[in-house]
Amino acid sequence: MNIMDFNVKKLAADAGTFLSRAVQFTEEKLGQAEKTELDAHLENLLSKAECTKLWTEKIMKQTEVLLQPNPNARIEEFVYEKLDRKAPSRMNNPELLGQYMIDAGNEFGPGTAYGNALIKCGETQKRIGTADRELIQTSAINFLTPLRNFIEGDYKTITKERKLLQNKRLDLDAAKTRLKKAKVAEARAAQLNTSQPEDNNIMIWAEEVTKSEQEVRITQSEFDRQAEITRLLLEGISSTHAHHLRCLNDFVEAQMTYYAQCYQYMLDLQKQLGSFPSTFLSNNNQSSSAPVQSVPTPSVLASASAPLPSVSNSIVTSGISELKSSSGSRKARVLYDYDAANSSELSLLADEVITVYSIPGMDSDWLMGERGNQKGKVPITYLELLN
């Protein structure tokens, strides 16, 4: 019975406190009660925490989209994570594309130019897929996990303490309101002061004022204590920013490693694919023999590895003019790999040396090139004339 009485009393006290807070909150919204304002420093810290939480969530979600564009895959990973189970391993997009290319190359025949090229491309795509997995894993551990820990850990604690601070403030303001009303009632009773019952009434209100003053002191102390706890937690946001900065550096380093690996893989692949100019030339014999007079642009990877020379720099204008006006020939170094577009052109390999010369009526952007018994048109932007 004693335990039951205690629970009933506690429930009644909690209900009374909740009702008091609700009344105070409503009166504040209606402008009928005063509200204790937080100091400016604490307000700034609260605003900083909210801003940090908002942008951390946005950055975290968009990073997840970047690393895993498939929304269904993200949902599946989320479900397995909540169930504390490991998601089944599946091929990612580069690995799947690489497998298709390898299967197609084997079907067409590894001995054919196209089949061999498909197999090489497929192997490179698989290597890119592996690098992609490493990027996702590293980013999840070093970047996403700390952001998620802040949202699901530190900020939840801040929110909890902030809610307690709000409740303590409502308790303080409700106590102040009761004290104010008690003082008004005491003053009215003192003004009447006509008979003995009124004297007793004065004593009753005097006791109520004393009780309310004590309640204000207690609630003020509890509010100040909770404000200090909340302030200490909020001041930790600066440390959170410093930690997230280190995590951001790790994420950038992971991306840098990933893109450097992909670039190197594609550079190696380009060299492998460009190592069979005679094969490409024989394939081009089956295509249209109409000459293409426009000057092609080197591939993205080639231009990334070295700047594209202009006619006025690597290939000196006077040297070109002299070569075109004479009937002689010059040696030239090839700057980039070049795949012939048709049978009238000559495929080139970077760093090889060929013989070039001009023939009457040729477009100003082209020269004739010879390599052994092979000859064809070559673009001058791919060449550096040698002395």
Side-chain angles (χ1 to χ4, degrees), residues 215-233:
E215 184 181 6
V216 168
R217 287 194 295 270
I218 293 173
T219 54
Q220 182 70 59
S221 175
E222 291 179 349
F223 171 76
D224 292 341
R225 178 177 176 275
Q226 186 59 40
E228 181 65 15
I229 293 173
T230 307
R231 183 185 63 79
L232 291 174
L233 284 173

Side-chain angles (χ1 to χ4, degrees), residues 159-315:
T159 302
K160 177 183 176 182
E161 296 300 330
R162 183 179 180 180
K163 186 176 180 181
L164 284 174
L165 178 62
Q166 172 74 351
N167 290 337
K168 296 300 182 184
R169 185 196 64 77
L170 289 173
D171 292 342
L172 172 60
D173 289 338
K176 288 180 177 179
T177 300
R178 285 192 292 271
L179 175 60
K180 185 177 180 180
K181 291 179 179 179
K183 286 183 176 181
V184 170
E186 182 187 27
R188 288 178 180 175
Q191 288 177 357
L192 295 176
N193 195 18
T194 56
S195 63
Q196 186 66 29
E198 293 297 332
D199 291 338
N200 291 336
N201 202 17
I202 292 175
M203 294 181 61
I204 292 173
W205 284 114
E207 291 177 0
E208 184 66 25
V209 168
T210 303
K211 180 181 177 182
S212 298
E213 287 176 344
Q214 184 180 4
E215 184 181 6
V216 168
R217 287 194 295 270
I218 293 173
T219 54
Q220 182 70 59
S221 175
E222 291 179 349
F223 171 76
D224 292 341
R225 178 177 176 275
Q226 186 59 40
E228 181 65 15
I229 293 173
T230 307
R231 183 185 63 79
L232 291 174
L233 284 173
L234 291 172
E235 287 178 346
I237 292 294
S238 297
S239 299
T240 298
H241 285 191
H243 178 51
H244 287 181
L245 175 59
R246 292 192 295 271
C247 297
L248 181 62
N249 287 332
D250 292 339
F251 178 56
V252 170
E253 184 176 350
Q255 282 188 305
M256 181 186 68
T257 301
Y258 169 72
Y259 290 119
Q261 286 178 326
C262 292
Y263 171 76
Q264 188 60 49
Y265 293 157
M266 298 310 295
L267 199 62
D268 294 341
L269 175 62
Q270 186 193 41
K271 290 179 180 179
Q272 292 177 26
L273 294 180
S275 62
F276 305 102
S278 58
T279 304
F280 294 141
L281 187 60
S282 64
N283 288 342
N284 289 329
N285 287 334
Q286 302 173 6
S287 61
S288 171
S289 60
V292 179
Q293 297 300 325
S294 61
V295 180
T297 303
S299 65
V300 174
L301 286 175
S303 62
S305 61
L308 182 63
S310 64
V311 174
S312 60
N313 293 330
S314 297
I315 304 178

